[in-house]
Amino acid sequence: MANYSTSMRLKLPVVCIVLEVILIILFGVLVEYDAHTDAKKWHKDNKTGQFDMENDFYYRYPSFQDVHVMIFIGFGFLMTFLQRYGFSSVGFNFLIAAFSLQWATLMQGLLHGLHHGKIHVGVLSMINADFCTGSVLISFGAVLGKTSPVQMMIMAIFEVTLFAINEYILVSLLQARDAGGSMTIHTFGAYFGLMVTRVLYRPNLDKSKQRNSSVYHSDLFAMIGTIYLWMFWPSFNSAITALGDDQHRTALNTYYSLAACTLATYAFSALVNHEGKLDMVHIQNAALAGGVAVGTAGEMMLTPFGSMIVGFLAGTISVLGYKYLTPVLESKLKIQDTCGVHNLHGMPGVLGAIVGSITAATASSSIYGNGMADVFPEISKDFTASNQAVMQIISLSVTLGMALIGGLIVGFILKLPIYGAPPDTHCFEDAIYWEVPGEEEDHDELTTVKTADESEKLNG
Amino acid sequence: MANYSTSMRLKLPVVCIVLEVILIILFGVLVEYDAHTDAKKWHKDNKTGQFDMENDFYYRYPSFQDVHVMIFIGFGFLMTFLQRYGFSSVGFNFLIAAFSLQWATLMQGLLHGLHHGKIHVGVLSMINADFCTGSVLISFGAVLGKTSPVQMMIMAIFEVTLFAINEYILVSLLQARDAGGSMTIHTFGAYFGLMVTRVLYRPNLDKSKQRNSSVYHSDLFAMIGTIYLWMFWPSFNSAITALGDDQHRTALNTYYSLAACTLATYAFSALVNHEGKLDMVHIQNAALAGGVAVGTAGEMMLTPFGSMIVGFLAGTISVLGYKYLTPVLESKLKIQDTCGVHNLHGMPGVLGAIVGSITAATASSSIYGNGMADVFPEISKDFTASNQAVMQIISLSVTLGMALIGGLIVGFILKLPIYGAPPDTHCFEDAIYWEVPGEEEDHDELTTVKTADESEKLNG
Amino acid sequence: MANYSTSMRLKLPVVCIVLEVILIILFGVLVEYDAHTDAKKWHKDNKTGQFDMENDFYYRYPSFQDVHVMIFIGFGFLMTFLQRYGFSSVGFNFLIAAFSLQWATLMQGLLHGLHHGKIHVGVLSMINADFCTGSVLISFGAVLGKTSPVQMMIMAIFEVTLFAINEYILVSLLQARDAGGSMTIHTFGAYFGLMVTRVLYRPNLDKSKQRNSSVYHSDLFAMIGTIYLWMFWPSFNSAITALGDDQHRTALNTYYSLAACTLATYAFSALVNHEGKLDMVHIQNAALAGGVAVGTAGEMMLTPFGSMIVGFLAGTISVLGYKYLTPVLESKLKIQDTCGVHNLHGMPGVLGAIVGSITAATASSSIYGNGMADVFPEISKDFTASNQAVMQIISLSVTLGMALIGGLIVGFILKLPIYGAPPDTHCFEDAIYWEVPGEEEDHDELTTVKTADESEKLNG
């Protein structure tokens, strides 16, 4: 452990500066404003201000901002539950996300289709980049506390790329529908991260176990993340659906799924505890599984009734996963899943993919009418509903394959002892990578001097 | 106290699962998408994508999201001020709200008018359900720390139902205007909750008094709730008004009322303290009274001038209420009002109802022009302004009656010793219902093992 | 120090009540609803509900709410990093902002042009008032912990007035473009505040140095502020630009600038630390400099490429400023800049002004097409691009002059020993102005009584 340094003095600056310079050059060469953001293009045909109100901005930007809050506040604070890893949770989340959204713009732009050799950017590309970033942050949750920021940046480079390829296969080649990303975001991010953490297995992680838990205040900070994710999930699932009833319906379905999921979470959290006490880990995570599980079917005519059933199931399997499956994954399969992403994103993501396939199988013009073309463009053309359902299931399989194989390879790349990962004795510890101040310990004038001395001693 | 258990092992799962199953069945039978969320209905006449932009979603959803934040973050964190009740404050708020919004959809749907025997849902029903939920959370504030989650779920069942009935009487029968809910939400929720807490009076509550106060960090968490409520109150009051100038004006009036209220709050908080020190309880609560007090008149032509006067008055009576009235309510009337909802929602709600009546009395076509039909549909038809004003006052009386009688009955139902309420010695204590981790106490490597042992001892 | 009192018992109530009464009277005399908020005016020509959707509200209010969150949560929590000044940071931020937005409505209304002797208010005036408030809060950051709330209110009166005059000179007289306020908001607020804190220089401030630092939890609270500012800065810079592509492009440019800035911040924060550890002060502040630095050029055809370069530079100079310049400013120039506003708003603001001038200089109709009139109305009429560029630089000079001279004068006004400023030994201390509770210190039943006694002793 002592034969390599955790110092970020050179590693992190080099990685950040080199990557940002590459990004800037590639943006300079490849990226241009789309027709809704370019002064000349937008005004080509629109001579009057009236038409300005039909700019994409007004129909997508509020969704984007909600998604943005989920990425930076939601994911960032959800992971602050660890007692001594708050700076890293919210801080590395911030860094990785700021990088990933730029890299994702390029990767998705290249694969979603160039315009005369250029990538077009606007509010839709911003949402898609945030979505891809979400997937990286899910994987971050699996390895939280056991990796260096440089390791995470390297992971993000590969994961964003694989995400974009998988998304391209699903959406463009297989014609799968997955507006809220049950497959592309959640299943992919979770199983990729689980495979990475498997490869990075630390047999002696229990040397840091005293820090691998929450304290009272850290659980409250984490609830900020949970509640924001919960509230804005309807915006997440509906952010890139077709405009009109599609977006509206997706938000509504997600809202009901989450509400039902929350009741299931509280019910099973109390039930599986021998004293009937609620467990913050369940509330913080399982209550969100309902959003994951309608990520594919949310835009379909799932009905509130169907959404609530899916949400209830998702909350149930998520709590049971935390209680019974996570310990087994760790002891038998050597998967150390810090945040339990398998329970929040993995299983509910797979559930969501299956629900999406079933719902697609039941699509008919008596239900969708002229709205079919928005939800299932292929069924409105030459697919049967069964074709679509099969494509959805193939998409799930492809996603699982890409995630597991990708995670395996990337895991081995990240295993190289050059990234400054923390030793087993110092996992889940901010002080490895951050200047950490002391904690306030007294409240009257006389003793504050002592505090100052003390924190000097601790951090000096 | 010892003869019944506070364990939620069976009680909470049974209540949550039974209620959710009932909800799912009723949703399956009764609920369907409205014309703006259904793929077929929405596309019936609209062949082109252009019309998609006129979907309700784009004009109501941003308001909905702000209201949603107020319900889950605003109310949830506002109540985290107690030193040992943060998990329960934000956690039970979450549970009760997730249940109430589903139940409210049904109750309001049944009373607001069925469509061929079906309840139609869309963004407007989502906002209305959140509004009803807000009322339940106000009552929750009155009984905070002294009740079990099961008790709160039972309270929510009844309160949501009574809320929907009262709302129906006011809006549909009496033709009252109350877009921001000074009467329907705040007055109703506050007096209902006060009556419940009166019936549940605990003469020996001082056995828990050492926990019935804030600590430094819990007051900061509570400020997150306060500030979100304050910022988004303009969205709350304007969320269901008519589109156009009405919504715009309501947001503007609320903004000015809150600003003036804040200055009054700081002024009187310093004035009533013998050392001139500000009290966090006042800042956290009274600064919001301005939003409550323009809940009825906000959509009217109240003018910024009028709004500021109302806000200033609301802040003043709210601070004075906390200082002088709350202790009297407790000692003389045996009303133990944990959050002081009488000062934040009760008195300002009544003030708002009166301001609404006065403003309605002065309505004339020289002020409203063709806009009269949106604000006062009845005055634009066959009411005089005085008729409307009288209806507003009758509505206030009905609301007070419904709240007090309803609270009385429900209070007695909740008094049954079957819900696992905490004993007098363990009120305001998370550890009754939650697995509570220890608190971080040291910061260097050598002592963290001790912490781990210690928290094991405390929670084990 | 002992010869004047810090008690706010009379000072604060008098100031708040007198100011609010003056505001109410002036609003009664001067302010009326604009055409989009007045029931009669809005319905003059619009007979059908259809047109209601073209109300300004739907195109500006989401931006307003994001800006509002930045002002109250963003600025408020960003400053909670001090260990014993959280109540004051978020609380005085709240008070000053609530006052400033009302006063700004009047000052900007008078200078932006009256309508038949009246100030018209609506969502645009709300955004502009929040912008002006932001400038005051920047100055607040410079003097944080060393001033009384009364002092801050007096500062706000003068600063809002000077802000409105400076804004009028820039926008109306010099025809400068500055939609996101690199000059009007950031440069002005920073240099005004720096000059005020220079005049209020406290040679013995090190008597409070033990409190002039963060603790672990206070840094996490501050990150709430940082992340909200970061996420919503695209909305801030685009809030008052022309509708359509302009608003869309501004948000996009700001998004990329901030992302690049964040990578620069992490890179240089690790690089300048001898152990390679990240410094929370840098992350909390410098990562935001990218938003400041595209405040002027964001609406222009800066391209994502240009935005990223600007953001990267801004993050770099901001971190270097914190590390190397702030200590020099304090020791040599006697500028005690609590939050380092020179690094976050001062230098990046000047950079933003220069970038804006350069970008304006390159404007041509081959780039902007018919969109020129929205971004550069004067160039589309009788300016050359060079004229515009010169006007931008003159505007920067005027802003610096107004800020420094204004800050000098206001600093001397604030130096009068009548406002109850804290003594040198009690700076950065909430207990001077607030009833402060104790801190939670134990977690089991047996010892809570001790806590209660203890906190009584500490605060009594």
Side-chain angles (χ1 to χ4, degrees), chain C residues 182-183 292-297 310 347-357:
Chain C
S182 287
M183 295 182 284
V292 175
V294 294
T296 302
V310 175
M347 291 189 297
V350 172
L351 173 64
I354 294 167
V355 170
S357 176

Side-chain angles (χ1 to χ4, degrees), chain A residues 373-440:
Chain A
D374 280 347
V375 185
F376 297 111
E378 296 305 311
I379 298 184
S380 77
K381 287 185 288 188
D382 41 44
F383 266 28
T384 63
S386 308
N387 290 156
Q388 185 72 46
V390 170
M391 285 304 183
Q392 299 291 131
I393 288 298
I394 293 174
S395 294
L396 173 61
S397 316
V398 170
T399 300
L400 285 168
M402 292 282 292
L404 292 171
I405 295 167
L408 187 72
I409 296 166
V410 175
F412 279 104
I413 294 171
L414 297 182
K415 220 178 157 73
L416 299 174
I418 58 174
Y419 307 110
D424 291 347
T425 51
H426 286 72
C427 287
F428 316 114
E429 172 60 57
D430 275 337
I432 297 279
Y433 302 118
W434 297 84
E435 289 287 347
V436 177
E439 192 54 73
E440 182 184 27

